[in-house]
Every structure is written in C-alpha cells, then in structure tokens.
Short mmCIF file of all heavy atoms in Angstrom, two decimals:
data_model
loop_
_atom_site.label_atom_id
_atom_site.label_comp_id
_atom_site.label_asym_id
_atom_site.label_seq_id
_atom_site.Cartn_x
_atom_site.Cartn_y
_atom_site.Cartn_z
N PRO A 225 22.36 5.37 26.20
CA PRO A 225 22.94 6.73 26.24
C PRO A 225 22.59 7.52 24.98
O PRO A 225 22.40 6.96 23.89
CB PRO A 225 24.44 6.46 26.31
CG PRO A 225 24.61 5.12 25.65
CD PRO A 225 23.38 4.34 26.00
N ASN A 226 22.52 8.84 25.13
CA ASN A 226 22.24 9.75 24.01
C ASN A 226 20.92 9.37 23.36
O ASN A 226 20.86 8.82 22.25
CB ASN A 226 23.39 9.71 23.00
CG ASN A 226 23.27 10.82 21.96
OD1 ASN A 226 22.31 11.58 21.96
ND2 ASN A 226 24.25 10.90 21.08
N ILE A 227 19.83 9.68 24.06
CA ILE A 227 18.49 9.28 23.64
C ILE A 227 18.17 9.72 22.21
O ILE A 227 17.55 8.97 21.43
CB ILE A 227 17.43 9.83 24.62
CG1 ILE A 227 17.42 8.97 25.90
CG2 ILE A 227 16.03 9.85 24.00
CD1 ILE A 227 16.51 9.47 26.99
N ASN A 228 18.56 10.90 21.84
CA ASN A 228 18.25 11.39 20.48
C ASN A 228 18.87 10.47 19.43
O ASN A 228 18.25 10.19 18.40
CB ASN A 228 18.77 12.82 20.30
CG ASN A 228 18.01 13.81 21.17
OD1 ASN A 228 16.82 13.65 21.42
ND2 ASN A 228 18.69 14.85 21.63
N HIS A 229 20.07 10.00 19.70
CA HIS A 229 20.73 9.07 18.78
C HIS A 229 19.98 7.74 18.74
O HIS A 229 19.80 7.14 17.66
CB HIS A 229 22.17 8.84 19.25
CG HIS A 229 22.93 7.82 18.45
ND1 HIS A 229 22.98 6.49 18.84
CD2 HIS A 229 23.63 7.92 17.29
CE1 HIS A 229 23.71 5.83 17.95
NE2 HIS A 229 24.11 6.66 17.02
N THR A 230 19.50 7.26 19.91
CA THR A 230 18.76 6.00 19.97
C THR A 230 17.48 6.08 19.17
O THR A 230 17.14 5.18 18.39
CB THR A 230 18.46 5.65 21.44
OG1 THR A 230 19.68 5.60 22.18
CG2 THR A 230 17.74 4.30 21.54
N VAL A 231 16.71 7.16 19.38
CA VAL A 231 15.45 7.34 18.66
C VAL A 231 15.70 7.41 17.15
O VAL A 231 14.97 6.79 16.35
CB VAL A 231 14.71 8.60 19.16
CG1 VAL A 231 13.50 8.90 18.28
CG2 VAL A 231 14.28 8.42 20.61
N GLU A 232 16.73 8.13 16.76
CA GLU A 232 17.05 8.25 15.34
C GLU A 232 17.37 6.89 14.74
O GLU A 232 16.94 6.56 13.63
CB GLU A 232 18.25 9.19 15.16
CG GLU A 232 18.66 9.41 13.72
CD GLU A 232 19.88 10.30 13.60
OE1 GLU A 232 20.28 10.92 14.60
OE2 GLU A 232 20.44 10.36 12.49
N ALA A 233 18.09 6.06 15.48
CA ALA A 233 18.44 4.72 15.00
C ALA A 233 17.19 3.85 14.84
O ALA A 233 17.04 3.14 13.85
CB ALA A 233 19.42 4.06 15.97
N PHE A 234 16.29 3.90 15.82
CA PHE A 234 15.04 3.13 15.72
C PHE A 234 14.22 3.57 14.51
O PHE A 234 13.63 2.75 13.81
CB PHE A 234 14.21 3.28 17.00
CG PHE A 234 14.56 2.29 18.07
CD1 PHE A 234 14.94 2.71 19.33
CD2 PHE A 234 14.48 0.92 17.83
CE1 PHE A 234 15.25 1.79 20.33
CE2 PHE A 234 14.79 0.00 18.80
CZ PHE A 234 15.19 0.43 20.06
N LYS A 235 14.16 4.85 14.28
CA LYS A 235 13.35 5.36 13.16
C LYS A 235 13.92 4.97 11.80
O LYS A 235 13.20 5.01 10.80
CB LYS A 235 13.21 6.88 13.28
CG LYS A 235 12.29 7.31 14.43
CD LYS A 235 12.11 8.81 14.48
CE LYS A 235 11.10 9.19 15.55
NZ LYS A 235 10.91 10.66 15.65
N LYS A 236 15.19 4.59 11.76
CA LYS A 236 15.79 4.16 10.49
C LYS A 236 15.49 2.70 10.17
O LYS A 236 15.76 2.24 9.06
CB LYS A 236 17.30 4.38 10.54
CG LYS A 236 17.72 5.84 10.45
CD LYS A 236 19.24 5.98 10.47
CE LYS A 236 19.67 7.43 10.34
NZ LYS A 236 21.15 7.57 10.40
N LEU A 237 14.95 1.97 11.14
CA LEU A 237 14.65 0.57 10.89
C LEU A 237 13.50 0.44 9.88
O LEU A 237 12.57 1.23 9.88
CB LEU A 237 14.24 -0.13 12.20
CG LEU A 237 15.32 -0.27 13.27
CD1 LEU A 237 14.72 -0.88 14.54
CD2 LEU A 237 16.47 -1.14 12.77
N ASP A 238 13.57 -0.59 9.05
CA ASP A 238 12.46 -0.85 8.12
C ASP A 238 11.24 -1.38 8.88
O ASP A 238 10.10 -1.13 8.49
CB ASP A 238 12.89 -1.89 7.08
CG ASP A 238 13.97 -1.37 6.16
OD1 ASP A 238 13.97 -0.15 5.88
OD2 ASP A 238 14.83 -2.16 5.73
N PHE A 239 11.48 -2.10 9.97
CA PHE A 239 10.37 -2.74 10.68
C PHE A 239 10.79 -3.01 12.11
O PHE A 239 11.88 -3.53 12.36
CB PHE A 239 10.02 -4.05 9.97
CG PHE A 239 8.78 -4.72 10.50
CD1 PHE A 239 7.54 -4.12 10.39
CD2 PHE A 239 8.88 -5.97 11.11
CE1 PHE A 239 6.42 -4.75 10.87
CE2 PHE A 239 7.75 -6.61 11.60
CZ PHE A 239 6.51 -6.00 11.47
N LEU A 240 9.96 -2.65 13.07
CA LEU A 240 10.27 -2.83 14.49
C LEU A 240 9.09 -3.46 15.21
O LEU A 240 7.96 -2.97 15.13
CB LEU A 240 10.59 -1.48 15.14
CG LEU A 240 10.79 -1.48 16.66
CD1 LEU A 240 12.01 -2.32 17.05
CD2 LEU A 240 10.94 -0.05 17.18
N ILE A 241 9.37 -4.57 15.89
CA ILE A 241 8.38 -5.22 16.77
C ILE A 241 8.87 -5.07 18.19
O ILE A 241 10.04 -5.31 18.49
CB ILE A 241 8.23 -6.71 16.45
CG1 ILE A 241 7.71 -6.91 15.03
CG2 ILE A 241 7.27 -7.37 17.43
CD1 ILE A 241 7.64 -8.37 14.62
N VAL A 242 7.98 -4.67 19.08
CA VAL A 242 8.30 -4.58 20.51
C VAL A 242 7.30 -5.46 21.27
O VAL A 242 6.09 -5.34 21.08
CB VAL A 242 8.23 -3.13 21.04
CG1 VAL A 242 8.36 -3.11 22.57
CG2 VAL A 242 9.33 -2.30 20.41
N GLN A 243 7.81 -6.32 22.11
CA GLN A 243 6.97 -7.14 22.99
C GLN A 243 7.18 -6.67 24.42
O GLN A 243 8.31 -6.67 24.91
CB GLN A 243 7.34 -8.62 22.86
CG GLN A 243 6.53 -9.54 23.77
CD GLN A 243 6.87 -11.00 23.53
OE1 GLN A 243 7.06 -11.42 22.40
NE2 GLN A 243 6.95 -11.78 24.61
N ASP A 244 6.12 -6.25 25.09
CA ASP A 244 6.27 -5.72 26.44
C ASP A 244 4.95 -5.84 27.17
O ASP A 244 3.90 -6.08 26.57
CB ASP A 244 6.72 -4.25 26.39
CG ASP A 244 7.60 -3.89 27.58
OD1 ASP A 244 7.33 -4.35 28.70
OD2 ASP A 244 8.57 -3.12 27.39
N ILE A 245 4.99 -5.64 28.49
CA ILE A 245 3.77 -5.70 29.28
C ILE A 245 3.11 -4.34 29.44
O ILE A 245 1.96 -4.25 29.86
CB ILE A 245 4.02 -6.34 30.68
CG1 ILE A 245 4.96 -5.47 31.51
CG2 ILE A 245 4.56 -7.73 30.53
CD1 ILE A 245 5.14 -5.96 32.94
N PHE A 246 3.85 -3.26 29.10
CA PHE A 246 3.30 -1.90 29.15
C PHE A 246 3.69 -1.15 27.88
O PHE A 246 4.66 -1.50 27.21
CB PHE A 246 3.81 -1.14 30.37
CG PHE A 246 3.32 -1.64 31.69
CD1 PHE A 246 4.20 -2.12 32.64
CD2 PHE A 246 1.96 -1.62 31.98
CE1 PHE A 246 3.74 -2.58 33.87
CE2 PHE A 246 1.49 -2.08 33.21
CZ PHE A 246 2.38 -2.56 34.15
N MET A 247 2.93 -0.09 27.61
CA MET A 247 3.30 0.81 26.52
C MET A 247 4.46 1.68 27.00
O MET A 247 4.32 2.51 27.89
CB MET A 247 2.12 1.68 26.13
CG MET A 247 2.44 2.72 25.08
SD MET A 247 2.89 2.00 23.50
CE MET A 247 1.26 1.55 22.89
N THR A 248 5.62 1.47 26.40
CA THR A 248 6.82 2.22 26.77
C THR A 248 7.18 3.21 25.68
O THR A 248 6.59 3.20 24.59
CB THR A 248 8.00 1.26 26.99
OG1 THR A 248 8.32 0.63 25.73
CG2 THR A 248 7.69 0.19 28.02
N GLU A 249 8.18 4.03 25.96
CA GLU A 249 8.65 4.98 24.96
C GLU A 249 9.19 4.26 23.73
O GLU A 249 9.03 4.74 22.60
CB GLU A 249 9.75 5.88 25.57
CG GLU A 249 9.24 6.89 26.58
CD GLU A 249 8.83 6.25 27.90
OE1 GLU A 249 9.26 5.12 28.20
OE2 GLU A 249 8.06 6.90 28.65
N THR A 250 9.80 3.10 23.93
CA THR A 250 10.29 2.31 22.80
C THR A 250 9.13 1.71 22.03
O THR A 250 9.13 1.70 20.79
CB THR A 250 11.24 1.20 23.30
OG1 THR A 250 12.28 1.78 24.09
CG2 THR A 250 11.87 0.45 22.13
N ALA A 251 8.13 1.20 22.74
CA ALA A 251 6.98 0.57 22.07
C ALA A 251 6.24 1.58 21.18
O ALA A 251 5.68 1.20 20.15
CB ALA A 251 6.03 0.00 23.12
N ARG A 252 6.25 2.84 21.57
CA ARG A 252 5.55 3.86 20.77
C ARG A 252 6.18 4.03 19.39
O ARG A 252 5.55 4.57 18.48
CB ARG A 252 5.53 5.19 21.51
CG ARG A 252 4.63 5.19 22.72
CD ARG A 252 4.41 6.59 23.29
NE ARG A 252 3.55 6.56 24.46
CZ ARG A 252 3.96 6.53 25.71
NH1 ARG A 252 5.26 6.55 25.96
NH2 ARG A 252 3.11 6.50 26.72
N LEU A 253 7.39 3.58 19.21
CA LEU A 253 8.07 3.68 17.92
C LEU A 253 7.85 2.43 17.06
O LEU A 253 8.28 2.39 15.91
CB LEU A 253 9.57 3.88 18.12
CG LEU A 253 10.01 5.13 18.89
CD1 LEU A 253 11.52 5.12 19.09
CD2 LEU A 253 9.57 6.40 18.17
N ALA A 254 7.18 1.43 17.61
CA ALA A 254 7.09 0.13 16.94
C ALA A 254 6.03 0.12 15.84
O ALA A 254 5.02 0.82 15.91
CB ALA A 254 6.77 -0.96 17.96
N ASP A 255 6.28 -0.71 14.82
CA ASP A 255 5.26 -0.98 13.81
C ASP A 255 4.21 -1.94 14.34
O ASP A 255 3.03 -1.84 14.01
CB ASP A 255 5.92 -1.58 12.56
CG ASP A 255 6.90 -0.62 11.91
OD1 ASP A 255 6.47 0.33 11.26
OD2 ASP A 255 8.13 -0.82 12.10
#
C-alpha cells in the first residue's frame, strides 16, 4: 500500500538485492 512510501523506503536502504525471474518495478531499484 501507498507506493510512494514503499519506493521511498527502498531508496533509503544502503544496499538492496532482488532475485526474480523478470525485471520488475522493485528490481529496478536494486543495487
């Protein structure tokens, strides 16, 4: 819920790994 809040939280992470079978909106934020 509240996508803007979710994106803001992800961007505050020092490091993000995403494992997935497709390039998703979340994966685009990953290091």
